[in-house]
Amino acid sequence: MSFGVSSVALLHLLDNQLQGQIDRMNRTGYGLLVVHVNTPSAAPTGMHMEKLEERYPRHTYLSVDLTEVFNCPSRILEGLGEPESISAPSGLGSQDSNQDKLDRLLESLPSATSRMDILNILRTRLLVENAKKRGCEGIIWGDSTTRLAEKILAETAKGRGFSLPWQLSDGISPHGVAFKYPLRDLLKKELVTYASLTTPPLNQFIVSEQAPQAFTSKNTTIDNLVTNYFESVEENFPSIVANVVRTSGKLSARQSFGDGKRCGICEMPIAEGTGGLHGWGGGQEKMDLSSSHLCSDEKLCYGCARSSLRVTTSVRTGP
Amino acid sequence: MPPSPCALCSSRALIVRPKNHQKLCKSCFLSIFEEEIHHTITTNALFERGERVAIGASGGKDSTVLASVLKTLNERHNYGVDFVLLSIDEGIKGYRDDSLETVKRNAVQYGMELCIVGYDELYGWTMDQVVEQVGKKGNCTYCGVFRRQALDRGATRLGINHVVTGHNADDIAETVLMNLLRGDLPRLSRTTHIVTSSVSSPIKRSKPLKYAYEKEIVLYAHHKKLDYFSTECIYSPEAFRGSARALIKNLERVRPSAILDVVRSGEDMAKLVPEGVSDVQHCAGRNEATPAGGEEEGSGGCGSGGGRSSGGEMADMEGQLVENESAREREVEITSTITTSNGISAKEKNTTRRHQQQDARKTRKLPRQNMGQCVRCGYLSSQETCKACMLLESLNKSRPKTEIEVGLEDEEEDSSSLRRRMENVVLAGG
């Protein structure tokens, strides 16, 4: 639950379906756990959660802080690896609050794009962790066609093209829980219309997403950029948006994720010998980045390695 | 503020690398650029000793830099490769004739043999005439199909079976996004391969600049003071490419590595394209990929019109998609009427029908291409007549059948206006 139009509409639809099941059979086929993840950038949403709970009282509600990702079982921490190396220089590692750890992790990343990228991954992993802890069978995402198309291009632009089949398809995900995308065939503008037509309208529950920043801003991220791009494409060419999703849906995972190497950050399977920034023919930085921290490189997938790469070159140019 | 030193040697840095914002002096930039291409060539084993290789040269920055770098590396690392320049003359006044002059100068500067193949001698049509005939929209199809064959024919004429082209990382990234947008999986699986050889063409193509940024190519050409021609093709670029190009440029601004990252994603996604759709042999790895109708191979010189998108092509595609969708809906309606009329048993029928439909959809994959020869020109083709001949046929149909015109063809300058005058005469006479 992000309080965006898609996830609110999804909750409304599922609630209706459950109501229908109760009316007919007096029992339901499934139960919902509505989870919201608080991220440092977003405004506090406690109030919105209460409003939703009032309107749809049938479900369990849970609000977690992104910082809790550091309290999760060792697997995530171990995979992250990052905070350890970051907290080392300060010497106070063990005393740090989770908030400090998160802040430092984010500060260490080279750009706004990387921060957003890693934040999204952390959020997914936290959701997965919570779903597992509470014995959920799967996670239902509110991604619309538009959102999925954005994801496809953004992930492609971030060098994560390899992971698309796992990020788009319904079914068991590499994280070990099933992912489902029931809104995959609806455009965002359809959902917006839908939200205004229900009685009462859903608009009151929707926290409008931040207006994307101006293009010149240094804080623009690849995700923002692609979102803006598809906003304009959807305006005139809605079928092209749907086509992107349909096409990418045809990509099939060639490799099972049963065993084999996993990326330490995003948990996506890595094909043998292609990990890190240098595991391919285009990795030419080898020659100018001989330095140290890239040893751990091959534990990460290309996309995560890219996002967590610190700007060594510009640091080195100091006097 | 003291001047920044070069990150590799200690002299003064003059250049910020577009790729990773590394500060370098001029000579370090030139050598790192060359070494990266050397790295690409060696890791992919692009050349063999003693091989004769044609450089597809348009006179533009990419192919000029390619020729210059290959000459330098060939001497420095002793590849033992004999490079030849191969140019295509599409017959576009004010664009190609000028750029061919550049190629002729380059041939002298680099001491390479030069071969020019013209559309008019191969097909009897220059692009200027084609545009006059079909209009500014959609003429890129003709140019692409013609160029692909012309490159092959030129290479054959030179007795060469390997052509290198100047496609750079920006071009590849753009094509990856473009194919995602228009849903062209077979092409998506082909574009990212560095070497493409195929059943549909006896000539092997490769792209040594695949990982080189366009901006760095421009910088290299500038600092090496290379002689290149910088006007874009005067005919309109494809809308999809324009849209994708604008997006790529914006992505690069946000994160310089994005271009390389898209290329990487494209390579990874190529491996994920299901077997039936692509005609790539996956086991063969990246060294033996197979493009079939590879139009992208030929589009090197055009489509770089920097986001000038007319939108017409996108609108066409949108229209077609909508049509497909409504057709599919109509199909469903028919099946549902059958079910209602047949009662309960029809429900089963309906599901089996659905399965059949699904199966049919699955097996309706692209048939494997069986290559034969075009009955008209003898060029390799999967159809009875090759694409170029089919396009030519449609062009020739509308060409006036006056015998006189052939005689006029010699004076190319005025042929079209003369022709028109002749037509007027006939009309007046009738």
Side-chain angles (χ1 to χ4, degrees), chain B residues 51-302:
Chain B
E51 196 180 5
R52 222 160 105 86
V53 176
I55 302 173
S58 65
K61 58 181 171 21
D62 297 315
S63 55
T64 307
V65 166
L66 180 64
S68 164
V69 169
L70 286 181
K71 179 185 160 63
T72 309
L73 292 177
N74 197 18
E75 283 161 8
R76 184 183 302 159
H77 297 285
N78 193 18
Y79 293 158
V81 176
D82 179 15
F83 288 108
V84 180
L85 294 175
L86 173 59
S87 285
I88 307 297
D89 183 2
E90 295 94 344
I92 303 176
K93 283 239 156 51
Y95 167 62
R96 189 50 93 215
D97 45 357
D98 295 342
S99 62
L100 281 176
E101 288 308 311
T102 317
V103 181
K104 284 176 193 160
R105 287 197 300 276
N106 287 338
V108 178
Q109 287 156 4
Y110 304 140
M112 291 178 185
E113 193 186 320
L114 167 65
C115 170
I116 300 178
V117 192
Y119 280 9
D120 50 351
E121 58 166 316
L122 283 183
Y123 310 110
W125 286 81
T126 66
M127 272 314 286
D128 283 340
Q129 290 166 343
V130 172
V131 171
E132 197 186 315
Q133 183 82 57
V134 303
K136 291 217 167 184
K137 216 178 132 195
N139 64 69
C140 287
T141 317
Y142 290 85
C143 198
V145 171
F146 286 173
R147 183 186 296 112
R148 190 182 136 68
Q149 239 191 55
L151 264 182
D152 282 3
R153 286 176 188 274
T156 314
R157 197 176 289 178
L158 288 163
I160 284 176
N161 57 13
H162 187 178
V163 178
V164 292
T165 51
H167 291 93
N168 58 41
D170 295 51
D171 294 336
I172 313 262
E174 204 176 290
T175 316
V176 168
L177 291 193
M178 192 169 84
N179 286 330
L180 267 181
L181 285 178
R182 64 179 178 196
D184 195 336
L185 276 187
R187 273 212 188 117
L188 182 65
S189 78
R190 280 185 237 124
T191 37
T192 49
H193 293 285
I194 186 157
V195 180
T196 45
S197 62
S198 119
V199 280
S200 70
S201 163
I203 312 290
K204 169 171 134 186
R205 311 272 177 96
S206 60
K207 310 165 194 155
L209 299 185
K210 180 182 170 189
Y211 301 117
Y213 276 40
E214 183 173 30
K215 284 184 179 167
E216 300 203 351
I217 289 173
V218 176
L219 273 178
Y220 185 86
H222 173 76
H223 287 289
K224 268 260 182 175
K225 301 195 171 55
L226 296 183
D227 180 8
Y228 69 92
F229 183 77
S230 57
T231 306
E232 307 280 1
C233 177
I234 51 177
Y235 298 128
S236 65
E238 303 164 83
F240 268 106
R241 200 169 268 284
S243 171
R245 169 159 288 251
L247 183 60
I248 284 282
K249 292 292 173 212
N250 283 330
L251 290 172
E252 184 189 11
R253 213 176 311 147
V254 172
R255 194 196 236 184
S257 70
I259 292 177
L260 213 49
D261 297 344
V262 172
V263 175
R264 166 68 194 243
S265 285
E267 284 185 10
D268 288 336
M269 274 143 69
K271 296 180 202 139
L272 303 174
V273 174
E275 291 282 351
V277 174
S278 73
D279 35 2
V280 175
Q281 281 106 40
H282 289 278
C283 50
R286 82 169 63 139
N287 286 332
E288 281 176 64
T290 51
E295 188 190 313
E296 73 279 350
E297 292 299 322
S299 60
C302 55

Side-chain angles (χ1 to χ4, degrees), chain A residues 12-54:
Chain A
H12 181 79
L13 286 164
L14 292 175
D15 189 75
N16 273 354
Q17 190 190 27
L18 288 174
Q19 185 60 50
Q21 292 183 352
I22 288 174
D23 293 347
R24 267 183 294 132
M25 305 176 283
N26 208 18
R27 63 192 165 84
T28 55
Y30 57 92
L32 288 179
L33 170 69
V34 182
V35 187
H36 172 74
V37 177
N38 284 316
T39 47
S41 57
T45 43
M47 198 185 72
H48 302 288
M49 205 66 165
E50 280 165 27
K51 254 162 83 182
L52 266 190
E53 209 167 340
E54 231 167 79

